[in-house]
Structures are given as C-alpha cells and as structure tokens.
Amino acid sequence: MAILVFGGMGHVGSWIAHDLLEAGEEVVIFDLGARGLAGRGLDYLEPYADRLSFEDVDILDTHTLFERMRAWEGRIDAVIFGVAVIAGPTFRLRPFRNIQVNTVGMINVLEMCRILGVPKFVNLSSGAVYGTASGGQTEETPAVASDLYGATKIANETLASQYGNTYDIDVRHARLYFVYGPGKLPSTMHVLYQAMFGPLQGLSDVAAASGGDQGLDWTHVRDTAQGVVHLLRAPAEVARGEAFNISCGVSTPHQTIVDTVTDLLGRDSGMTLGAGRFFERGAPLDIAKSVQGLGFAPRFTDIRDGLADYHDWLKSVGQAG
Ligand SMILES: NC(=O)c1ccc[n+]([C@@H]2O[C@H](COP(=O)([O-])OP(=O)(O)OC[C@H]3O[C@@H](n4cnc5c(N)ncnc54)[C@H](O)[C@@H]3O)[C@@H](O)[C@H]2O)c1
C-alpha cells in the first residue's frame, strides 16, 4: 500500500514524503516533472529511493492524471494534496491559471479519489483562510479571504469537505503558515524571504520594501511536515472533516530574523527591511488544537535553532554563504 504525495517535489511535500519514508511507508510523488531525484536538490530523499516512486503529472491534464492514478488502484492508503501556486506577490499576476491549479487541480485529484475509492485525503490548506484577522487565530476564527490565494484555500476546504461527506472520503485540512528551511534555496523565493534568510546562502544587500514592522509565525519545514503526518495518522474521531492549524505557534519579528542571521554568521550582509507589513496576515496561529488533539510538538520554536539548522543544510548541499 502507498501514500500518494501530490506536490512531493516541492518544499513541504518533499519533507512529508521524507517523514513517511523514514517511518517505513511506500510513497509515490505526483508532481510536474517528477521523474526522479537527479538534479532536484532533494538530498534527504535519496536514502529511501527503493520505496519512492514518481509520477510526472500535471494535475490539470485529467487524462494523464487518471491513467497514472489508476496504475495504483487498490494500493492507495491516502492522498496528501500539496500542489499549489503558493501565496506571494506574484500570485495576482496570473489569477486564472493559478486558481485553476489550486482549485480545479484539487477537484481533479479528488474526483479520481472518488472513482478509485481512495479512503483518505489530507488537504494542505493555509492560515490564509483567516485573511487579515489578527494573531491568535483558532480554527473557529471565521474564514474570510483577503486575497485570491486565500480564496482558493477556503474554496478548497469547502469543496473537499463536501466531497468527503458526499462520497465517504475521510478528508482533513492542515492549515500551514510561513514555511522556511531545508529544501528551499532563499535565492528562489520572494524578496522578504531573501532579505531574511538569504545571507545563509551568501546573498547580500537585498532591500525588501516592507515587512520591517511585522512579525509572522515562521515555521521550520520539518515541523510543518511533522504536523501533517500527525494529522494523517490521527484517528477519524479526532480528525475526520476537521481543520488544524499547523505552525510554529510563535510570532517572530522580521527584524529579529535579520539580526539573528547576522549574529549566526558573524557578519552584516547589508539586508534592509522597509517599514510596514509585507503580508496582510496576523500571527501567530493558535496551535492548541493540534498540540492537544494530534500530539503535534514543533521543535523549532526558537528561531535561532531553526536558522542554524537551515544553515547546516545549505552547507551540506554546498550552497551556504
Ligand atoms: N510554503 C508556505 O509557506 C505555505 C504556507 C501555507 C500553506 N502552504 C501550502 O502548502 C502546500 C505546499 O506548499 P510548498 O511551499 O511546498 O509549495 P512548493 O511550491 O514548494 O510546492 C508545490 C508543488 O506543486 C507542484 N505543482 C504546481 N503546479 C502543478 C501542476 N499543475 N501539476 C502538478 N504539480 C504542480 C510544483 O511543481 C511544486 O513541486 C501548498 O498547498 C501551499 O499552498 C504553504
């Protein structure tokens, strides 16, 4: 039996795949261009290559998606859905395409789950469902989108839950928040991420126009993955049809991240953060429901530990500054 990780070549999905493989599971990564690990920078998956398969699928190509999922019929324990165009300043530049990927794409996968009788579906959602609500958002805080990305996440939760109710699929939602860490090169991310984490990779003199007066609930990717795996494993009476906040649970000022990186490296990399907020989001999420209900226990609640771990990974792949 296998667990299908959609978006498993991505940041969060690859660490979910890692944790499942480490626990002895068979994993199939469904992703655009998923043909193997060569040249993908996912060194942490290499020890498990014998239990890891790849399906190169565009989730908007329903014919290929159906063919490739049908190849696993009768052997699918669960689907973890982590394909998305993620939040950021560029989401609004291609709204139609991005909404297709996030929401139509998810429905395509859910429809295949219905047809093939897949029993469990974990939807990677986001704290973006809370829009601009201020910090301390619980799962009871009203879902009010404040941007298109957030709207796709609210739509997905609603659609997936109703698929679950209508077709007897055990659907669960993980509301993730501001992920950083191993597996992602800062240079590939938006300007705020580069200005905060970039020196760990050797970047310098990046100026983010805003974000200096904000703190967010930056979550180390290993904690994000741990939380999702706990959600996958939780008994149905706890988790079926439910949403769980999965984040660090601590809001760290962005300037503190810049300063801590400077301290860790022993040099100033010339990063500057302009005044104001970069993301119209509140932080931190309230993670009590995940801690108490799922046994979720984030390890990197001190940003310094998370940054040091990120730097160690960058060193290990020859990308450290
Ligand atoms: N990264 C964060 O800070 C964050 C925060 C909240 C929620 N999330 C959610 O977590 C999930 C994973 O995010 P991530 O940070 O790992 O993103 P990511 O961009 O690293 O990974 C997304 C993956 O989706 C794949 N993909 C995109 N379009 C596709 C298509 N048409 N067909 C098949 N695959 C396609 C990409 O190739 C990529 O591997 C997403 O649902 C995201 O919205 C992430």
Side-chain angles (χ1 to χ4, degrees):
M1 296 296 284
I3 298 172
L4 276 44
V5 181
F6 281 79
M9 303 304 282
H11 194 205
V12 174
S14 62
W15 278 108
I16 293 170
H18 170 274
D19 287 5
L20 293 171
L21 289 160
E22 192 180 44
E25 301 282 1
E26 178 169 359
V27 171
V28 188
I29 287 179
F30 279 68
D31 204 317
L32 276 179
R35 289 184 213 98
L37 294 174
R40 300 302 296 259
L42 303 175
D43 56 301
Y44 38 92
L45 294 180
E46 278 158 16
Y48 308 105
D50 57 326
R51 276 181 288 111
L52 178 59
S53 307
F54 297 91
E55 297 288 0
D56 178 2
V57 164
D58 180 339
I59 59 170
L60 296 181
D61 170 2
T62 47
H63 294 276
T64 309
L65 174 65
F66 191 21
E67 276 175 12
R68 296 320 309 155
M69 281 187 75
R70 195 172 55 182
W72 294 89
E73 186 170 9
R75 293 182 287 156
I76 307 173
D77 271 331
V79 161
I80 297 177
F81 183 74
V83 166
V85 178
I86 63 172
T90 58
F91 192 95
R92 66 197 305 278
L93 301 180
R94 301 188 75 201
F96 191 71
R97 168 75 189 178
N98 295 345
I99 292 166
Q100 295 266 324
V101 172
N102 286 13
T103 297
V104 177
M106 186 203 70
I107 285 297
N108 288 344
V109 176
L110 259 175
E111 177 63 359
M112 302 312 171
C113 291
R114 179 182 75 81
I115 292 168
L116 298 177
V118 174
K120 195 187 281 188
F121 185 92
V122 178
N123 169 38
L124 300 195
S125 185
S126 169
V129 301
Y130 305 119
T132 58
S134 53
Q137 308 96 315
T138 72
E139 290 80 353
E140 303 305 315
T141 300
V144 180
S146 57
D147 54 29
L148 288 169
Y149 170 80
T152 67
K153 291 304 189 184
I154 293 174
N156 281 14
E157 286 197 13
T158 305
L159 288 164
S161 287
Q162 290 313 317
Y163 247 79
N165 292 344
T166 309
Y167 304 113
D168 194 24
I169 304 171
D170 179 343
V171 170
R172 300 150 181 224
H173 310 287
R175 293 180 177 165
L176 315 181
Y177 225 32
F178 297 100
V179 182
Y180 73 94
K184 195 82 153 185
L185 295 178
S187 55
T188 65
M189 290 294 286
H190 56 73
V191 66
L192 176 66
Y193 194 104
Q194 288 185 29
M196 295 194 301
F197 304 104
L200 301 174
Q201 194 193 344
L203 308 188
S204 58
D205 302 313
V206 177
S210 60
D213 295 328
Q214 187 170 28
L216 286 168
D217 189 346
W218 290 91
T219 305
H220 190 288
V221 68
R222 300 294 313 265
D223 286 334
T224 308
Q226 182 221 127
V228 173
V229 172
H230 273 77
L231 175 58
L232 172 77
R233 300 257 187 257
E237 57 273 23
V238 171
R240 185 173 179 144
E242 293 287 316
F244 291 84
N245 291 338
I246 291 176
S247 70
C248 171
V250 176
S251 181
T252 305
H254 294 160
Q255 190 59 47
T256 300
I257 297 178
V258 173
D259 295 343
T260 307
V261 167
T262 301
D263 193 45
L264 275 173
L265 295 176
R267 65 167 187 275
D268 185 342
S269 301
M271 301 309 197
T272 53
L273 307 180
R277 295 154 66 85
F278 188 86
F279 284 103
E280 288 304 324
R281 300 271 191 268
L285 300 184
D286 183 324
I287 58 171
K289 183 177 174 185
S290 297
V291 169
Q292 287 154 22
L294 306 178
F296 172 51
R299 276 198 296 148
F300 296 98
T301 50
D302 182 336
I303 194 74
R304 191 179 182 90
D305 296 339
L307 293 169
D309 184 79
Y310 196 4
H311 196 214
D312 286 345
W313 176 76
L314 287 162
K315 284 185 212 157
S316 75
V317 294
Q319 293 280 350

